[in-house]
Amino acid sequence: MSAPERKDFLSPIAKILFADVIIIVVLLVFINSRDLSQIREPDAAPAKVLQLRFEDRPDGSIAVINYKTGQEIDSVQGEAGFVRGTLRGLAQERKRRGLDSGPPFELIHRADGRLTLADTATGRMLDLESFGPTNAGTFFKLFNASQVVAVSKS
């Protein structure tokens, strides 16, 4: 009598897929454990800074207000998907942290031409040019509307 044949529980393809899943999980754990904030390129000096407050209006528009003067400098009408999405994300972050809408947002035009939207309440910064020139331009036009002057170097 011969010994009974041993059958593999998993087929070779299933073994390969299982090994792939294990490798992916290990890589994801490794990537998520790294401090990626050190990879970010240092920011250039601000050339212009505009402090802003955003207010929802009853008609569905968003008023863009110069934080220092209280003057409405622009209004976001209609869909304006990028602006609305960006502001919604920042507002949700404040809400999660239990912060109110009081502190200003800073729109920073940097000496190297980059454009950053910074939330002074949470410290979150968005490099707007990362979303393409058209999207960054929707925020850049606020500098023209407010007539902000360059930051002094003193």
Side-chain angles (χ1 to χ4, degrees):
M1 269 200 153
S2 64
E5 262 185 54
R6 184 176 167 263
K7 290 202 170 207
D8 282 338
F9 179 69
L10 296 173
S11 71
I13 293 175
K15 289 178 183 178
I16 292 171
L17 290 175
F18 184 72
D20 288 344
V21 168
I22 297 297
I23 290 170
I24 290 170
V25 168
V26 169
L27 285 172
L28 288 173
V29 168
F30 175 73
I31 290 169
N32 285 330
S33 67
R34 298 190 46 134
D35 183 11
L36 298 178
S37 65
Q38 301 302 320
I39 295 173
R40 188 169 193 253
E41 188 176 319
D43 291 325
K48 297 179 186 178
V49 177
L50 178 59
Q51 290 188 323
L52 301 170
R53 193 174 81 238
F54 300 96
E55 289 182 2
D56 291 325
R57 297 291 192 217
D59 65 355
S61 66
I62 300 172
V64 182
I65 299 168
N66 184 317
Y67 185 80
K68 291 181 180 180
T69 66
Q71 174 188 1
E72 185 174 331
I73 58 174
D74 200 2
S75 179
V76 178
Q77 306 286 331
E79 287 297 313
F82 179 69
V83 174
R84 286 184 186 275
T86 302
L87 298 178
R88 187 177 304 116
L90 293 172
Q92 287 174 347
E93 179 74 20
R94 284 185 176 193
K95 191 173 186 177
R96 270 193 298 275
R97 294 184 185 196
L99 303 170
D100 65 11
S101 61
F105 293 93
E106 288 185 335
L107 186 58
I108 307 164
H109 183 229
R110 301 198 177 274
D112 62 1
R114 291 178 20 220
L115 193 61
T116 305
L117 182 62
D119 185 346
T120 62
T122 65
R124 187 170 173 198
M125 298 177 74
L126 298 173
D127 292 324
L128 298 173
E129 77 284 344
S130 301
F131 300 99
T134 303
N135 288 326
T138 60
F139 279 95
F140 188 78
K141 71 178 186 170
L142 298 175
F143 282 110
N144 295 334
S146 68
Q147 299 159 358
V148 173
V149 295
V151 174
S152 66
K153 305 256 181 192
S154 53

